């Protein structure tokens, strides 16, 4: 039986594929305008001043308007990977693509700390 690829060739292909995926993820540019249509789930908690969630523990939910967009995208990515521990945020983040996270981050970065953060108004 003829081998199609050697182990070293397969490893090289895997490395190149991973490098391409990593470069693609790093090149994602967020759009505040696109993010406006993606924050519908966020506004249920993050647009209410002094809101406290009671699952899994009592947790003061931050208003995130004016926050750095890259920080928000990174935080969402960390929830998605399980590096940040909050079940509700993890469930939401797992449904988001890298593009969605970047867009949401840019949407909130374009807001102010006192803006209502509600694109539906």
């Amino acid at each position: 039986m003829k081998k199609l690829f050697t182990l070293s060739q397969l490893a090289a292909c895997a490395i190149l594929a991973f490098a391409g995926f990593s470069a693609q993820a790093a090149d994602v540019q967020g759009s505040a305008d696109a993010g406006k249509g993606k924050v519908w789930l966020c506004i249920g908690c993050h647009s209410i001043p002094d809101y406290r969630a009671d699952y899994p523990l009592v947790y003061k939910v931050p208003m995130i308007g004016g926050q750095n967009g890259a920080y928000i995208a990174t935080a969402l990515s960390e929830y998605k990977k399980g590096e940040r521990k909050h079940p509700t945020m993890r469930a939401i983040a797992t449904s988001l693509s890298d593009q969605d996270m970047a867009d949401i981050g840019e949407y909130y970065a374009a807001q102010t700390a006192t803006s209502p953060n509600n694109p539906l108004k």
Side-chain angles (χ1 to χ4, degrees), residues 65-115:
Q67 181 62 265
N68 180 283
Y71 175 82
I72 290 175
T74 298
L76 287 168
S77 178
E78 290 171 351
Y79 281 118
K80 186 174 185 173
K81 294 176 193 170
E83 295 170 2
R84 287 188 179 210
K85 309 293 183 198
H86 192 279
T88 304
M89 285 299 302
R90 182 160 192 211
I92 292 167
T94 57
S95 71
L96 301 173
S97 69
D98 289 342
Q99 185 65 58
D100 293 336
M101 291 182 224
D103 292 342
I104 290 168
E106 290 306 311
Y107 171 80
Y108 278 109
Q111 305 300 308
T112 66
T114 58
S115 66

Side-chain angles (χ1 to χ4, degrees), residues 31-45:
S31 163
D33 193 44
K36 186 176 185 177
K38 298 177 182 183
V39 296
W40 61 274
L41 200 54
C42 309
I43 61 177
C45 297

Side-chain angles (χ1 to χ4, degrees), residues 1-52:
M1 183 176 221
K2 187 175 178 181
K3 287 185 182 180
L4 295 175
F5 294 102
T6 66
L7 187 56
S8 61
Q9 288 171 322
L10 287 174
C13 288
I15 290 168
L16 290 173
F18 181 74
F21 176 75
S22 296
Q24 180 183 13
D27 291 339
V28 173
Q29 296 294 316
S31 163
D33 193 44
K36 186 176 185 177
K38 298 177 182 183
V39 296
W40 61 274
L41 200 54
C42 309
I43 61 177
C45 297
H46 291 285
S47 67
I48 304 170
D50 299 319
Y51 181 66
R52 296 189 191 300

